[in-house]
């Protein structure tokens, strides 16, 4: 028996919230601990994010697949629809709002943990062509990595691989690798190290969608049968609900 949608949506909401809490919270802590060294701040922020992402995939992957990202969910639906695998349209319509609401909640939680105003819209302008290009590159790479792992039967290593990729992309992309529309929206709700001005959000989201499209095209060329493995993205979800399975 497949896991109930409500449980998967709760996992996506909670996992995305905790991911953004880690991104924003570690950024706040980094500026507190290293106020005069932006490079060290970015190092602290990226390491915390990479480790937190890997841990969250391990926690929530068996329930929802641990997408935490609308472009990953969209790719999963698009590539799997012909093979009858991956997310259904109904699943996708639930995953994306859950991820966005979770991301907003994660920023609010981080703000409150550090005794800041719950909602304080960011003033950090990130609207520039080279930053959008960075988002295209980061998102394309993320889609390729996730589906290449699934297609080759290596989805179980996704927690380490995806965490490592995002941690590295903090450093090799000009945008510091948001690569996630939900996280981008959530980070607009905090005027801290990880924040992004609301006016800059649409440009980042459009760039991420472009990265999604390029990633899908490259997958079609490199792995024409990638859609058959959509059920393995990011981490395989249980085919049966343990609570209802008499064998467990």
């Amino acid at each position: 028996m497949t896991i109930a949608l409500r449980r998967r949506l709760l996992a996506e909401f909670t996992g995305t919230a905790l991911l953004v809490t880690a991104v924003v919270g570690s950024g706040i802590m980094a500026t507190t601990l290293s106020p005069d060294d932006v490079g060290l701040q970015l190092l602290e922020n990226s390491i915390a994010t990479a480790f937190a992402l890997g841990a969250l995939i391990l926690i929530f992957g068996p329930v929802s697949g641990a997408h935490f990202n609308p472009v990953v969910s969209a790719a999963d639906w698009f590539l799997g629809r012909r093979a009858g695998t991956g997310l259904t349209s109904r699943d996708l319509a639930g995953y994306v709002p859950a991820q966005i609401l979770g991301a907003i909640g994660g920023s609010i939680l981080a703000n409150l943990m550090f005794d800041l105003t719950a909602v304080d819209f960011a003033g950090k302008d990130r609207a520039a062509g080279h930053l959008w290009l960075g988002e295209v590159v980061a998102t394309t790479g993320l889609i390729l990595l996730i589906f290449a792992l699934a297609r080759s039967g290596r989805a179980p290593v996704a927690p380490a691989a995806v965490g490592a990729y995002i941690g590295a992309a903090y450093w090799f992309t000009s945008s510091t690798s948001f690569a996630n529309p939900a996280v981008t929206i959530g980070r607009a709700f905090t005027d801290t190290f990880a924040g992004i001005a609301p006016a800059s959000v649409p440009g980042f989201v459009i760039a991420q969608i472009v990265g999604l499209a390029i990633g899908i095209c490259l997958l079609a060329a490199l792995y024409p049968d990638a859609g058959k493995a959509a059920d393995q993205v990011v981490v395989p979800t249980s085919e049966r609900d343990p609570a209802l399975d008499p064998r467990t």
Side-chain angles (χ1 to χ4, degrees):
M1 181 177 179
T2 57
I3 295 175
L5 180 58
R6 65 180 181 277
R7 289 177 54 197
R8 288 183 281 139
L9 296 184
L10 176 60
E12 286 297 302
F13 173 86
T14 308
T16 310
L18 292 176
L19 173 59
V20 175
T21 299
V23 173
V24 174
S26 62
I28 297 171
M29 182 63 79
T31 56
T32 301
L33 297 176
S34 311
D36 301 318
D37 192 334
V38 177
L40 185 55
Q41 291 169 9
L42 185 62
L43 178 63
E44 293 160 350
N45 188 209
S46 62
I47 290 175
T49 299
F51 283 139
L53 178 55
L56 291 170
I57 292 173
L58 287 171
I59 294 169
F60 297 105
V63 180
S64 68
H67 294 186
F68 310 150
N69 188 335
V71 297
V72 173
S73 298
D76 191 55
W77 165 78
F78 184 84
L79 291 170
R81 74 195 194 288
R82 291 183 179 176
T85 58
L87 297 182
T88 65
S89 298
R90 177 171 174 260
D91 293 338
L92 181 63
Y95 268 51
V96 173
Q99 293 158 353
I100 293 173
L101 291 173
I104 294 171
S107 268
I108 293 172
L109 178 58
N111 287 337
L112 292 175
M113 279 202 305
F114 286 90
D115 198 26
L116 302 175
T117 303
V119 174
D120 189 11
F121 292 109
K124 188 175 293 183
D125 180 40
R126 298 180 188 262
H130 68 284
L131 300 180
W132 299 334
L133 179 59
E135 282 301 288
V136 171
V137 171
T139 308
T140 299
L142 179 63
I143 295 298
L144 287 173
L145 170 64
I146 289 172
F147 282 87
L149 290 174
R151 187 263 182 191
S152 59
R154 294 176 293 168
V157 306
V162 174
Y165 174 79
I166 292 298
Y170 260 80
W171 292 89
F172 73 72
T173 64
S174 56
S175 62
T176 64
S177 183
F178 287 46
N180 185 327
V183 168
T184 303
I185 293 170
R187 288 170 65 167
F189 285 74
T190 180
D191 193 19
T192 59
F193 180 80
I196 176 173
S200 298
V201 169
F204 265 55
V205 172
I206 291 170
Q208 291 154 3
I209 293 172
V210 172
L212 165 64
I214 295 173
I216 288 175
C217 290
L218 287 173
L219 281 169
L222 296 169
Y223 301 108
D225 59 346
K228 295 180 180 179
D231 280 339
Q232 307 299 308
V233 174
V234 170
V235 170
T237 55
S238 300
E239 288 298 321
R240 293 180 178 271
D241 186 335
L244 300 176
D245 191 342
R247 298 176 301 175
T248 60

